Amino acid sequence: MNFLWVKTNWTIKKLFSSYVWNIPNTANKIYLTFDDGPIPEITEWVLEELKKHKVKATFFCIGDNIEKHPEIFEKVIGEGHTIGNHTFNHLNGWKTVTESYIKNFQRCEDTIRKFAINDLICKIFRPPYGKITRSQAKTIQQSGYKIIMWDVLSVDFDSALSREKCLENVLSNVRSGSIIVFHDSIKAFKNLEYVLPKTLIYLKENNFVCEVLK
């Protein structure tokens, strides 16, 4: 967990104020997001959990995974969740030249539009690892996209982290307006399987309203 902000520090939000870190509101609205899918069985399990609690979420999808599993991607859309771009190959922007990064971003956009045909496709982008250069961000924003970061990081992807600590990361930090990150990935599933159901129950019991990002 080195160098990770579970609760994003206000100085980071201020320094990168053109990115969306949270959405302040007085209606107890929060935003559940899932990165890296669609993945067989795991994304489908997430969809079932969300359906049980009548909750909608935002899925930041990898283009390559969409092409491999279009039927799951179409199921995400069919159940009323919104879709965001997460690059085609889960690129680290800090390690990728801008031209290659933008081409990969555009390839993901093309893939999303190939399989999705309704208004649940939104111009929202989350950089993998949260790592993106200013020039990459500027180009993406100039194309009409919002760059969505997060307010609360579950750290479900860390196999060394106990599932109880992962749950604590979420429940002790969620506030009205929070954007929370989970991962519908193989690596994260050990923690996600425990954390997501308990999080959904907690949110309902504490009168949080789950909204989608647009």
Side-chain angles (χ1 to χ4, degrees):
M1 287 180 59
N2 291 337
F3 309 113
L4 290 177
W5 293 103
V6 171
K7 179 75 171 178
T8 305
N9 188 276
W10 70 270
T11 57
I12 299 295
K13 295 179 182 179
K14 186 174 182 179
L15 185 61
F16 298 98
S17 59
S18 69
Y19 306 162
V20 179
W21 297 94
N22 61 312
I23 303 177
N25 66 84
T26 58
N28 235 23
K29 295 179 182 179
I30 59 97
Y31 305 83
L32 298 180
T33 68
F34 295 86
D35 289 3
D36 298 352
I39 299 294
E41 298 184 7
I42 297 170
T43 301
E44 293 163 302
W45 177 85
V46 170
L47 291 175
E48 286 303 310
E49 290 300 311
L50 295 176
K51 186 185 295 184
K52 286 179 189 176
H53 295 271
K54 299 179 181 179
V55 165
K56 302 301 181 188
T58 302
F59 288 76
F60 287 92
C61 296
I62 295 172
D64 189 45
N65 285 339
I66 296 172
E67 294 220 332
K68 289 175 179 174
H69 312 292
E71 71 288 347
I72 303 175
F73 179 70
E74 290 169 355
K75 187 174 182 180
V76 174
I77 293 174
E79 296 192 5
H81 307 286
T82 57
I83 302 298
N85 185 321
H86 201 45
T87 74
F88 192 85
N89 296 112
H90 204 261
L91 296 187
N92 182 331
W94 293 0
K95 297 180 179 180
T96 310
V97 298
T98 296
E99 182 180 1
S100 297
Y101 192 84
I102 297 305
K103 285 182 178 178
N104 204 269
F105 157 80
Q106 290 173 334
R107 187 178 178 189
C108 183
E109 179 181 26
D110 292 342
T111 302
I112 289 171
R113 295 189 179 280
K114 176 181 176 182
F115 292 102
I117 57 174
N118 62 26
D119 60 2
L120 294 176
I121 310 168
C122 303
K123 286 206 163 191
I124 53 177
F125 173 73
R126 173 173 286 154
Y129 314 103
K131 295 179 178 179
I132 187 170
T133 68
R134 290 187 182 275
S135 62
Q136 292 162 358
K138 182 178 179 180
T139 301
I140 289 170
Q141 288 170 322
Q142 286 177 339
S143 70
Y145 272 74
K146 297 175 185 176
I147 295 179
I148 307 293
M149 294 299 202
W150 58 82
D151 179 53
V152 178
L153 187 64
S154 68
V155 201
D156 53 0
F157 55 82
D158 188 344
S159 60
L161 190 72
S162 73
R163 59 187 191 174
E164 291 80 11
K165 178 58 179 173
C166 185
L167 179 63
E168 180 187 336
N169 286 344
V170 177
L171 302 192
S172 64
N173 290 296
V174 62
R175 303 288 186 273
S176 181
S178 287
I179 297 173
I180 305 171
V181 181
F182 295 107
H183 294 78
D184 51 331
S185 66
I186 293 170
K187 182 167 64 171
F189 190 62
K190 175 183 75 73
N191 286 329
L192 183 67
E193 186 177 28
Y194 176 82
V195 174
L196 183 58
K198 293 183 182 301
T199 296
L200 292 171
I201 291 169
Y202 175 87
L203 294 174
K204 183 176 182 180
E205 290 177 346
N206 288 273
N207 300 312
F208 284 101
V209 179
C210 297
E211 296 280 333
V212 297
L213 293 165
K214 298 180 180 179

